[in-house]
Amino acid sequence: MTDDQIKTTLDKSERITIFAIESSCDDTSASVCVNGKILSNVISTQTIHKEYGGVVPELASRAHIKSIVPIVDQALIVANVELSSIDAFAFTQAPGLIGSLLVGAQFTKSMALALDKPVITVHHMQAHVLANLIPQHKPDFPFLCLTVSGGHTQIVLCEGPLQMKVIGHSLDDAAGEAFDKSAKLLGLPYPGGPLIDKYAEKGNPAKFKFPEPDIEGLNFSFSGLKTSILYFIQAEEKKNKNFVRENLYDICASIQWRIISILLNKLKKAAEQTSIKNICIAGGVSANRQLRKTFEQTGEKMYWKTFIPPLEYCTDNAAMIAIAAYYKYLAGDFADLTVSPSARAEW
Ligand code: KG4
Ligand code: ZN
């Protein structure tokens, strides 16, 4: 179904208001969406994890508990919507950190129970894909989406808002992990992805060569890259103990270039195999400036129509949960109040 077809199935006077919460990892976010249009998307990113070099699950749950009430209030104020006008309450059900998911799930279910409204559960990775349906400029179906986040790397074939199939995935680390773990090896704090993005801008991507793994089909692997970076740094630091500090920009640019080439080479292969020309990217790593640029340049060469969500919808956010829930609402796909979150999820 196209977006227009879906809209004509709605009564013209019908106003569907969805309230959504995202709390799967270290961002607490709430959003209000009316008939597929995002009215608010308030995000609080936890900073406490920086000093630990990664997300500490127990600290993440506690931080969600602290921030969820003000974030929910703020999302309603920005959207200028009364709680009583909300038609359904949605939350990220999986995958993610179980303690973090529980905070969003319990809060959302309590609101729905108190207001006697339905609950909608959303799969976090499907929501990342559907973030591409938020802007005015959106892809027609079918489209392919390269979803690159901190926990997953997938190529998704999307035939409708609720008809998606993973046709390629990482066999080990996700692209976001490749960024974060490489950054850690360089002594940079968590999350390292945005820092590599920043330093790479000043570096030479051809200065150091890191290998591209030879993985069959549309799957990815990033763990070999991490090991080769580790051995490379160890060998160079034996010769010059200031090697990383003196070459930081070039190392970041070279690592980033390799991660991007691994991602886009597989995406090209997927486009070729499926003959699909509408191509999207999504997920936290799609905030990477060089990936966005190279993706668009590749698209021009390959005659693709390319789509990238605005930055606020790339990293974790509740707007993508709200848009996914809106399509589930139209399909009548509701959950009951006994539903619980899950750390892992079947697609
Ligand atoms: O989608 P996301 O916000 O959370 C998960 O669902 O995992 O993705 C987080 C990941 C982290 O690994 C982070 O380092 C990476 O996205 N990331 C970036 C950039 N911004 C966030 N990686 C590279 N360049 C960026 N600008
Ligand atoms: Zn995510």
Side-chain angles (χ1 to χ4, degrees), residues 129-154:
V129 174
L130 296 179
N132 279 286
L133 300 186
I134 296 175
Q136 289 277 325
H137 172 68
K138 58 182 120 208
D140 286 332
F141 299 105
F143 64 79
L144 291 180
C145 183
L146 169 72
T147 320
V148 273
S149 75
H152 296 80
T153 297
Q154 299 173 330

Side-chain angles (χ1 to χ4, degrees), residues 51-87:
E51 56 192 289
Y52 299 96
V55 178
V56 183
E58 180 58 28
L59 296 179
S61 330
R62 285 166 195 249
H64 282 304
I65 291 169
K66 266 197 193 154
S67 53
I68 198 155
V69 172
I71 292 297
V72 164
D73 279 346
Q74 193 64 18
L76 291 166
I77 291 167
V78 173
N80 195 18
V81 157
E82 297 288 329
L83 266 180
S84 57
S85 64
I86 290 165
D87 297 297

Side-chain angles (χ1 to χ4, degrees), residues 24 94-97 123-126 128-129 146-156 166 168-178 180 220 222 263 282-286 316 342-347:
S24 64
L97 301 172
H123 187 294
H124 182 84
M125 296 311 295
Q126 293 180 357
H128 270 306
V129 174
L146 169 72
T147 320
V148 273
S149 75
H152 296 80
T153 297
Q154 299 173 330
I155 299 179
V156 177
V166 178
H169 65 99
S170 177
L171 302 174
D172 40 57
D173 290 351
E177 274 175 293
D180 296 338
F220 305 87
F222 288 100
L263 292 171
V285 179
S286 67
D316 286 349
S342 160
R344 292 182 181 277
E346 286 304 310
W347 189 257

